[in-house]
Amino acid sequence: MSVLKEPLATPSRFKGIFRYLLNTEYQKEKRERLEQILSPNKLVERLLSSEEKASGKKAAHPMLHNNLRECIKSGLLIEIDYEISINPLLPKEARNRELGEHLLPDTLATLFFASDNKDEEDFALVCAWFLAQDIYDSPGNWKELQYVVTEQGVSESLDLKMSSSTLAGQMNDWMCYMGLAWGHALEGKKVIVPDPTAYIKRNLSHLFSEQENRKFPIREFIDRLAQKCPLFETGKFRDQIEANIGIRQPNYLSTSTAFALFRLQDEGYIQLLRESDADLMLLPKANNEVDDNSKVSHIIWKG
């Protein structure tokens, strides 16, 4: 089971557990003590009925237990002899007390999508599918998601049955936390938009090997991005989705990726170039329109 199908597993709870362990000695804690600190019996007992209390029923801790299970399955944490600790195989900076929490969205994105995590493949496909949608006309709530998934014919083959608000809610929370989407209110209703600007911005330094003003062909940059997070174009999950929905034209980026790159250029983080006699990719705008500014051959990280 993935975090997509575990409604108690949320980014804030992962973050709370990770934050506590990040600041303990040796970044580990006995399971029983961790349970009492993060989910005290007195707090959980408030959820028991008077009859259950009278019968001596002990308080359960499903919220903590389910999140611990998913943290361990993902590889964020490990458990040895009833002791929970941050996985020592994570990159050093991901375990750093000052940087670890800040880097957690990217750490989890890597663990979920780029680490051959079989448990999270259904979640990866849902995220890749959403990023493949037209950012200017994307399904913004679970009813629209359910309709579009069925209309595009992927509900059965890719197990993308958005049959309840639970799945859509999990997708929304996790994609927004990892910077792959953002939500806003429209006419009193929450709407989610597939926009990976925040994720790409956080990873520009990594994608350009920490070299400011370095220039890459746009195709090489996209391949690097897909290797870091295979939800993007040319990544394995995106390829699997596009083989089923067939939306993107050859040499085109999706509107969500194009939108993110245009935003980052407007904010001064990158520069998009069109060099003569160079291989071009097309970055479509609204209604899939392409103008001279949409034809890009190279990208520079401005730092």
Side-chain angles (χ1 to χ4, degrees), residues 106 109 131 178-181 194-208 218 221-222 224-226 228-229 232-233 238 253-265 267 269-270 272 283 299 301:
D106 292 328
L131 287 174
M178 290 184 285
L180 299 167
D195 175 9
T197 303
Y199 178 86
I200 298 175
K201 181 192 297 185
R202 289 197 312 264
N203 286 280
L204 284 172
S205 175
H206 170 83
L207 295 169
F208 284 88
I218 187 67
F221 173 80
I222 295 299
R224 282 173 166 256
L225 179 60
K228 173 71 175 173
C229 184
F232 289 93
E233 290 88 334
R238 189 61 162 269
L253 291 180
S254 62
T255 54
S256 65
T257 303
F259 183 84
L261 294 179
F262 283 132
R263 278 189 63 185
L264 292 172
Q265 178 171 247
E267 294 172 9
Y269 291 97
I270 63 172
L272 301 172
L283 281 61
I299 180 173
W301 177 44

Side-chain angles (χ1 to χ4, degrees), residues 55-111:
S55 67
K57 181 177 180 180
K58 293 184 178 181
H61 302 264
M63 192 176 295
L64 177 61
H65 291 168
N66 290 11
N67 279 274
L68 279 176
R69 182 187 68 236
E70 297 301 325
C71 284
I72 293 169
K73 282 171 55 182
S74 73
L76 181 68
L77 308 179
I78 61 172
E79 182 174 14
I80 301 176
D81 296 331
Y82 301 102
E83 189 171 61
I84 309 291
S85 66
I86 292 176
N87 191 341
L89 297 180
L90 292 178
K92 185 176 180 180
E93 60 272 18
R95 295 177 279 117
N96 181 281
R97 281 187 168 85
E98 295 182 0
L99 296 175
E101 186 176 336
H102 173 71
L103 295 174
L104 185 57
D106 292 328
T107 300
L108 288 171
T110 298
L111 292 173

Side-chain angles (χ1 to χ4, degrees), residues 37-213:
I37 290 174
L38 298 182
S39 183
N41 283 335
K42 288 295 183 182
L43 183 63
V44 180
E45 285 170 358
R46 295 168 58 185
L47 302 177
L48 297 176
S49 66
S50 55
E51 292 79 7
E52 289 173 328
K53 291 178 181 178
S55 67
K57 181 177 180 180
K58 293 184 178 181
H61 302 264
M63 192 176 295
L64 177 61
H65 291 168
N66 290 11
N67 279 274
L68 279 176
R69 182 187 68 236
E70 297 301 325
C71 284
I72 293 169
K73 282 171 55 182
S74 73
L76 181 68
L77 308 179
I78 61 172
E79 182 174 14
I80 301 176
D81 296 331
Y82 301 102
E83 189 171 61
I84 309 291
S85 66
I86 292 176
N87 191 341
L89 297 180
L90 292 178
K92 185 176 180 180
E93 60 272 18
R95 295 177 279 117
N96 181 281
R97 281 187 168 85
E98 295 182 0
L99 296 175
E101 186 176 336
H102 173 71
L103 295 174
L104 185 57
D106 292 328
T107 300
L108 288 171
T110 298
L111 292 173
F112 287 159
F113 310 132
S115 302
D116 295 323
N117 188 338
K118 300 296 183 182
D119 288 326
E120 300 299 340
E121 285 190 355
D122 57 344
F123 179 39
L125 290 171
V126 167
C127 294
W129 171 80
F130 195 56
L131 287 174
Q133 303 306 302
D134 183 358
I135 191 175
Y136 302 102
D137 189 30
S138 60
N141 56 57
W142 77 267
K143 288 185 178 180
E144 293 177 359
L145 286 168
Q146 185 182 30
Y147 173 80
V148 175
V149 162
T150 303
E151 186 75 9
Q152 293 180 0
V154 294
S155 61
E156 297 293 337
S157 60
L158 298 178
D159 192 26
L160 299 178
K161 298 178 182 177
M162 290 295 178
S163 57
S164 72
S165 59
T166 301
L167 293 181
Q170 286 294 96
M171 184 195 79
N172 293 356
D173 289 346
W174 280 104
M175 289 193 73
C176 288
Y177 177 67
M178 290 184 285
L180 299 167
W182 57 273
H184 65 103
L186 181 64
E187 298 178 352
K189 297 181 180 180
K190 184 178 179 180
V191 177
I192 185 171
V193 179
D195 175 9
T197 303
Y199 178 86
I200 298 175
K201 181 192 297 185
R202 289 197 312 264
N203 286 280
L204 284 172
S205 175
H206 170 83
L207 295 169
F208 284 88
S209 303
E210 301 183 4
Q211 298 180 34
E212 291 186 20
N213 296 313

Side-chain angles (χ1 to χ4, degrees), residues 272-303:
L272 301 172
L273 303 175
R274 178 187 177 186
E275 297 187 351
S276 60
D277 300 324
D279 189 18
L280 298 177
M281 291 200 77
L282 304 180
L283 281 61
K285 300 179 180 180
N287 299 318
N288 225 32
E289 293 181 355
V290 173
D291 56 25
D292 286 341
N293 293 329
S294 303
K295 300 173 182 178
V296 175
S297 65
H298 290 80
I299 180 173
I300 298 176
W301 177 44
K302 305 300 291 183

